[in-house]
Amino acid sequence: ENDVYNFQQKVAPKWYPTEDGPKKLTKTIKKTQRTKLRKSIVPGTVLILLAGRFKGKRVVFLKQLESGLLLVSGPFKVNGVPLRRVNQTYVIATSTKIDVSSVDTSGISDAPDQKTKRHFFSKVVAETKEDSGDSEFVSQETKKAGLSEERKAMQNKVDTALLASIQKTPMMKDYLKSRFSLQKGDLPHLMKF
């Protein structure tokens, strides 16, 4: 007895619609969630910056900001790194810790102010000086962005508190001043930070 196999062949439709049918729109409301902090990063941890202007510098982690970025400081008086926001993907956490319980960072936030729509890290634009009308093209000064007085005062306040705790540990100041770099043959995945 012969077995007969019935194969149904798919036939292309003879007519295609010119427009797609109505699609149901769905509203998705996404809440911005704060980025989860790595287990190895706690306030007071010494971090190594991997990218940007200060790459290779060692900094002290102070707190996580509302945007999920890390607030770090050099301190500025030790290695020249000011209060900065850093993404945690661009840092290596070391096992070195500093006591930052005395450092007050309550006034630092990267959430914009409701009135001015500016935040702590916004740059301040200096006002231009106006001369007489006949030399308008010759002596027109450009606007230069600078730091606000509030930010300078906060940097000084944080630095003094951090320096006090750094002085308690011998050679910590020299450790923060030194730059991190890799030489030929160094295997960073085998290093213990």
Side-chain angles (χ1 to χ4, degrees):
E1 293 167 37
N2 294 336
D3 291 328
V4 179
Y5 295 101
N6 288 332
F7 290 109
Q8 287 187 343
Q9 200 172 14
K10 282 199 170 189
V11 181
K14 293 184 181 193
W15 178 79
Y16 290 98
T18 55
E19 293 180 11
D20 293 334
K23 289 184 180 177
K24 194 172 188 180
L25 296 175
T26 57
K27 282 189 178 181
T28 54
I29 301 171
K30 291 184 180 179
K31 290 183 180 179
T32 54
Q33 292 181 346
R34 195 175 189 179
T35 309
K36 203 172 179 184
L37 197 59
R38 241 188 281 165
K39 289 178 191 172
S40 57
I41 302 175
V42 294
T45 305
V46 175
L47 307 173
I48 299 169
L49 299 179
L50 298 177
R53 182 176 164 203
F54 299 104
K55 73 177 157 198
K57 295 269 191 164
R58 292 181 167 94
V59 294
V60 181
F61 169 62
L62 300 173
K63 74 174 186 178
Q64 187 179 23
L65 297 167
E66 287 82 8
S67 64
L69 298 174
L70 310 178
L71 177 68
V72 298
S73 181
F76 186 74
K77 292 178 181 175
V78 173
N79 59 10
V81 182
L83 283 168
R84 284 181 73 83
R85 297 177 296 175
V86 179
N87 193 324
Q88 66 180 333
T89 56
Y90 300 111
V91 298
I92 296 175
T94 65
S95 56
T96 311
K97 309 251 186 289
I98 296 173
D99 180 36
V100 290
S101 58
S102 61
V103 181
D104 179 34
T105 57
S106 59
I108 302 172
S109 171
D110 61 353
D113 186 26
Q114 295 298 325
K115 294 178 186 174
T116 60
K117 303 289 186 212
R118 299 170 54 79
H119 55 79
F120 180 79
F121 293 97
S122 297
K123 300 229 184 236
V124 176
V125 179
E127 294 180 19
T128 57
K129 295 179 182 177
E130 293 185 22
D131 289 339
S132 60
D134 46 300
S135 62
E136 66 183 67
F137 295 110
V138 179
S139 65
Q140 189 177 30
E141 291 188 20
T142 58
K143 293 183 179 183
K144 186 179 177 185
L147 298 175
S148 66
E149 293 301 319
E150 172 200 10
R151 192 161 166 188
K152 289 177 185 175
M154 185 59 81
Q155 178 71 58
N156 198 13
K157 182 177 152 186
V158 168
D159 274 7
T160 51
L162 264 177
L163 281 171
S165 60
I166 288 170
Q167 299 295 344
K168 294 175 186 173
T169 311
M171 297 193 59
M172 182 58 76
K173 194 171 185 180
D174 294 330
Y175 175 69
L176 289 172
K177 274 185 185 178
S178 67
R179 241 176 205 268
F180 172 78
S181 63
L182 294 171
Q183 305 301 321
K184 187 176 180 181
D186 287 346
L187 304 172
H189 60 286
L190 296 177
M191 291 182 179
K192 183 178 186 319
F193 293 100

